[in-house]
Amino acid sequence: DKFSKHFDGAPIINVEGRSFPVEVEYRPLDEGNADLNLGIYAAVQEIYSQDSQGDILVFLSGEKEILEAQDYLERKHLRGTEILPLYARLTAAQQMRVFHPGSKRRIILTTNVAETSLTVPRIHYVIDSGLARVSRYSSRSKIQGLLVEGISQAAANQRKGRCGRIADGVCYRLYAEDEFNLRPEHTDPEI
């Protein structure tokens, strides 16, 4: 209203984003054997057993974790599947591959860059590790570092929303619901 009055009664237009319902499934990793790649593969197998279409977006904390997951999944020889990494150090051409889907089902392994900055087509499923690499500055040691931390509830919900853009989606969280509820509501500032 204030902007409209300032601009001589300019019309106010409300454009709501479209989203579809997203079901959340909690699949916490075994405490004794917390192998992230095994948890990702178990979620992929569950998805493949239920549905033969729809791409999967997997959120990981960094490049190293993405490359390890890519290697692990490629060794499983998933039929009719293309496994694509997406992180900042890739060339522009390599990054653009995720925006041009082919005939194969895709598993896209990404960092939190795909949380808000872009929308990847054909995503029906999200597998969320619950982790992100966050830049933190320590005033005590005067050092800036990239630390792997559990994400906030807001970030987890943002990741969940990535699979509800074009149709109903399912988000697999590789941590317990109680753990989600104990996480901070919003992401802390970097400094």
Side-chain angles (χ1 to χ4, degrees):
D1 286 341
K2 287 181 181 180
F3 279 107
S4 177
K5 288 174 187 169
H6 177 78
F7 291 106
D8 301 323
I12 299 171
I13 300 171
N14 183 22
V15 180
E16 291 186 25
R18 182 182 71 199
S19 63
F20 294 87
V22 175
E23 180 184 338
V24 177
E25 299 284 339
Y26 290 92
R27 300 290 185 269
L29 303 174
D30 295 334
E31 292 200 22
N33 183 21
D35 184 348
L36 182 60
N37 293 327
L38 191 59
I40 293 167
Y41 181 61
V44 167
Q45 283 185 307
E46 187 173 333
I47 291 166
Y48 277 30
S49 71
Q50 297 171 3
D51 187 7
S52 62
Q53 60 183 358
D55 292 348
I56 303 168
L57 188 62
V58 182
F59 284 98
L60 297 161
S61 59
E63 180 181 344
K64 177 180 176 261
E65 293 77 11
I66 288 171
L67 295 175
E68 287 174 357
Q70 182 179 13
D71 181 57
Y72 184 89
L73 291 172
E74 285 175 350
R75 284 187 277 124
K76 296 297 182 185
H77 302 289
L78 298 164
R79 193 178 349 194
T81 302
E82 183 178 22
I83 300 166
L84 297 172
L86 178 62
Y87 52 88
R89 281 187 353 121
L90 290 172
T91 66
Q94 290 171 314
Q95 290 181 21
M96 290 306 292
R97 289 177 57 203
V98 303
F99 300 105
H100 303 288
S103 60
K104 292 182 177 181
R105 187 174 206 172
R106 300 175 311 153
I107 299 175
I108 299 165
L109 308 168
T110 187
T111 62
N112 55 352
V113 70
E115 211 172 274
T116 57
S117 306
L118 47 91
T119 299
V120 179
R122 286 194 348 196
I123 298 299
H124 288 256
Y125 302 94
V126 163
I127 300 173
D128 181 10
S129 69
L131 301 171
R133 197 170 296 277
V134 181
S135 178
R136 296 286 183 206
Y137 177 75
S138 170
S139 59
R140 190 174 302 146
S141 63
K142 309 262 189 283
I143 295 175
Q144 179 123 9
L146 287 170
L147 306 175
V148 175
E149 298 179 357
I151 59 173
S152 68
Q153 291 180 19
N157 289 331
Q158 187 70 35
R159 289 178 175 188
K160 175 183 84 171
R162 298 285 101 189
C163 63
R165 297 279 183 225
I166 57 171
D168 294 0
V170 182
C171 175
Y172 292 84
R173 291 182 173 157
L174 301 182
Y175 47 94
E177 187 172 6
D178 293 341
E179 185 183 340
F180 170 78
N181 293 328
L182 292 173
R183 291 180 179 213
E185 193 173 333
H186 299 285
T187 306
D188 293 332
E190 291 182 11
I191 296 180

